[in-house]
């Protein structure tokens, strides 16, 4: 038997400065304020090149080469944002994003996932999200559950992605729109309960985040009290 625990506030939808949650103009402004002069000059050149030569020229486009340099030129802490800006400046379409994802490093793949909500309006790139969710790279799993995954993943795949986060230790704070999608989801509640029962039977601890998600699946009681018995 699994008991509900009161939820703790968690809504990652608003993340100032996060490359998947921040528009390109605001993202560039934030970077400009944080980069030193040489890094800022390199970024300006890289974005200008991408805008002027957005397509593929030769075996690889010039902007794809800049993706590989981002961490060295601008610092690893800024690399995700820099890569997203380059992809946006290059107006990378689904085919280009697919190529970068398939041929790139794990860091470049993560940047592609962060760039999806800025570049692909429909579900055409959902296969990249699904691929990331099949990996054991927790940073890719977290990136896959950003705004694009929240918008386009079907209920079945989304529920299993939530469970994968719990199983692999990805914080549920990484899941965009978790509260909205989990609300009233009785099937997700059933899966969470089964997962908790399996862990308990095996003598293993139940992740604390499970209770937070489980609480989100239950709508308010008709009498106005929540799952913890307190008034809402």
């Amino acid at each position: 038997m699994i008991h509900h625990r009161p939820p703790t506030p968690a809504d990652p939808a608003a993340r100032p400065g996060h490359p998947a949650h921040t528009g390109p103009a605001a993202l560039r402004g934030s970077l400009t304020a944080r980069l030193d002069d040489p890094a800022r000059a390199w970024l300006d050149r890289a974005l200008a090149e991408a805008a002027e030569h957005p397509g593929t020229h030769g075996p690889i486009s010039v902007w794809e080469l800049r993706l590989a340099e981002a961490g060295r030129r601008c610092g690893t802490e800024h690399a995700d944002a820099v890569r997203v800006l380059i992809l946006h400046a290059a107006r990378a379409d689904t085919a280009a994003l697919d190529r970068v994802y398939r041929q790139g490093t794990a860091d470049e793949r993560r940047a592609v996932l962060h760039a999806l909500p800025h570049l692909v309006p429909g579900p055409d790139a959902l296969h990249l999200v699904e691929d990331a969710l099949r990996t054991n790279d927790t940073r890719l799993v977290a990136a896959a559950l950003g705004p694009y995954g929240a918008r386009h993943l079907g209920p079945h795949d989304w529920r299993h992605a939530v469970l994968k986060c719990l199983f692999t230790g990805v914080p549920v704070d990484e899941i965009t729109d978790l509260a909205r999608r989990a609300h009233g989801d009785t099937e997700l509640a059933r899966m969470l309960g089964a997962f908790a029962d399996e862990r308990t039977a095996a003598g293993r601890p139940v992740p604390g985040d499970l209770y937070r998600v489980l609480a989100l699946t239950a709508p308010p009681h008709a009498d106005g009290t929540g799952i913890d018995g307190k008034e809402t």
Side-chain angles (χ1 to χ4, degrees), residues 218-227 232:
H221 287 201
D223 63 359
T225 60
I227 58 173
T232 56

Side-chain angles (χ1 to χ4, degrees), residues 5 8 10 162 165-166 169-175 178 192 206-216:
R5 293 182 184 176
T8 54
V162 172
C165 287
L166 295 171
V170 174
V172 298
D173 285 347
E174 298 290 338
I175 305 174
L178 173 63
L192 292 169
V206 176
D209 272 356
L210 183 143
Y211 296 103
R212 296 173 62 190
V213 180
L214 185 62
L216 293 172

